[in-house]
Amino acid sequence: MPGGAAPRPATARAHPNIALIKYWGKRDEALQLPATGSLSLTLGIAPTTTTVTPDGSLAADAGLLGGEPMSATELGRVSRFLDLVRARAAAAAGADPADLPRARVDSVNEIPTGAGLASSASGFAALTLAAAAAYGLPLTGAQASALARRGSGSACRSIFGSLVEWLPGAGAEDAASHAVPLPDSGVRLALVVAVLSPGRKKIDSREAMRRTVATSPSFPAWVESTPRELAAMKEAIAAADLPRIGELAESNALRMHATMLGAIPPVRYFAPATIAALDLVERLRAEGLGAWATMDAGPNVKVLCAPADAEAVAAAVRGAFPGIDVLVSGHGPGARLTSPAGGGA
Ligand code: PMV
């Protein structure tokens, strides 16, 4: 390949992120450009590790997720993403993308896949770094983030660690919509994840967003109010004001669900246990524990609190929901290439 390194196997690892100001709705479906900015915490638990092995003997891309063959939908999404990486790698090297081999992708999530626990974020962030390294595409952090966005919107935030803002960009410009790490104000947060339902969600976020954008009368209000909430959240983070961060995160998550409940037909991720968990968080607050709830595109509830309170919150959740998985996380790192060594965003 003129000017390009020979394709080689590469492995990367990325962690999930949970938004405190949510991304819900695209302004451009094809480019995965969001209707608004968003802000998240990259977790320190439940990473995805992904190896991309280019192989000239393959007629088509192949993929394993957790050791099992990917579904046709999953593989289609991964393969379209690899096509994008191959096209860019070939353009950078002055080569023909058709000359680049297909690849085997082996991805392992240490978190239940598709349960609203952001496995698509860690998955596409890890795939971005592994695929770029495998095909010899050099990327800055911002470029890696914009590329990860094309796989799954929220994946652009998992490229970076700790607190991260996704800049929406403007118009139809692909490169300007990427995440950036927020300046460290010293604030430290913990998230207690109550895995109330580990099964796959009823409707994936892509379809749910599409329906919300197309039919919910409250979607324009969501787009209008989110920049203000994002600015307020950044101020609260800069001031290390945990109660304010918590209040903003909880109200933003409930407002996101309100916009989808307004869709036709409604998108409802709440299960009976979801409501019970939201009640529990309210009760903990009434008892003097600083705890605030957030939810994504699924029935699970994540509780935001100070790291010093995380074990007390986790104990209360375990007490209320015996037998469920309860995960506790602080701030985690950005995505990293683990092999060949020395890479990363
Ligand atoms: O990246 P997607 O398409 O899986 O969207 C995720 C959207 C939410 O998790 C519900 C919110 C967010 O900002 O992460």
Side-chain angles (χ1 to χ4, degrees):
M1 189 167 94
R8 59 189 173 161
T11 302
R13 170 178 287 226
H15 289 76
N17 71 75
I18 298 296
L20 306 181
I21 297 293
K22 306 291 184 185
Y23 150 56
W24 194 255
K26 302 179 203 330
R27 66 173 195 274
D28 183 319
E29 278 263 350
L31 292 176
Q32 297 248 106
L33 293 168
T36 67
S38 57
L39 186 154
S40 59
L41 176 68
T42 299
L43 304 185
I45 56 166
T48 300
T49 302
T50 298
T51 298
V52 174
T53 307
D55 180 343
S57 72
L58 293 172
D61 294 315
L64 295 178
L65 186 55
E68 303 285 325
M70 288 179 188
S71 69
T73 310
E74 287 161 349
L75 183 58
R77 214 167 147 186
V78 165
S79 193
R80 278 193 298 281
F81 185 77
L82 291 176
D83 283 341
L84 186 60
V85 174
R86 284 186 285 253
R88 291 198 184 173
D96 181 348
D99 291 341
L100 289 174
R102 310 295 99 180
R104 270 195 314 280
V105 174
D106 187 351
S107 188
V108 177
N109 286 323
E110 289 175 35
I111 199 158
T113 299
L117 290 171
S119 57
S120 69
S122 52
F124 276 99
L127 182 63
T128 299
L129 295 197
Y135 288 104
L137 174 65
L139 295 173
T140 63
Q143 287 168 337
S145 174
L147 183 55
R149 188 198 82 231
R150 298 287 294 273
S152 177
S154 57
C156 76
R157 298 186 309 235
S158 278
I159 294 294
F160 300 107
S162 196
L163 288 160
V164 174
E165 180 181 3
W166 175 3
L167 309 172
E173 203 196 325
D174 182 37
S177 183
H178 61 80
V180 289
L182 286 183
D184 187 1
S185 69
V187 74
R188 288 297 172 267
L189 309 172
L191 268 176
V192 177
V193 180
V195 187
L196 300 167
S197 164
R200 282 189 165 273
K201 53 202 176 201
K202 287 184 288 191
I203 164 166
D204 75 19
S205 53
R206 198 167 283 216
E207 174 52 29
M209 277 186 203
R210 198 175 283 146
R211 195 188 296 171
T212 307
V213 173
T215 67
S216 176
S218 51
F219 186 70
W222 165 260
V223 174
E224 195 258 329
S225 63
T226 298
R228 276 198 306 279
E229 292 182 34
L230 188 53
M233 179 61 87
K234 284 167 71 178
E235 269 174 38
I237 288 169
D241 183 344
L242 177 62
R244 180 79 179 132
I245 293 169
E247 284 160 20
L248 286 165
E250 185 170 301
S251 70
N252 180 264
L254 291 175
R255 191 152 32 256
M256 174 182 74
H257 282 274
T259 66
M260 31 179 135
L261 286 166
I264 304 164
V267 176
R268 178 178 61 83
Y269 288 115
F270 287 76
T274 311
I275 305 288
L278 295 176
D279 277 349
L280 172 68
V281 171
E282 211 174 286
R283 203 159 60 240
L284 292 178
R285 265 205 310 273
E287 289 166 11
L289 204 54
W292 295 269
T294 184
M295 294 170 59
D296 293 291
N300 298 313
V301 172
K302 295 104 186 185
V303 189
L304 185 69
C305 61
D309 292 334
E311 280 313 319
V313 169
V317 172
R318 287 192 185 100
F321 303 96
I324 69 162
D325 275 343
V326 178
L327 314 170
V328 177
S329 179
H331 298 220
R336 283 286 171 275
L337 195 63
T338 57
S339 164

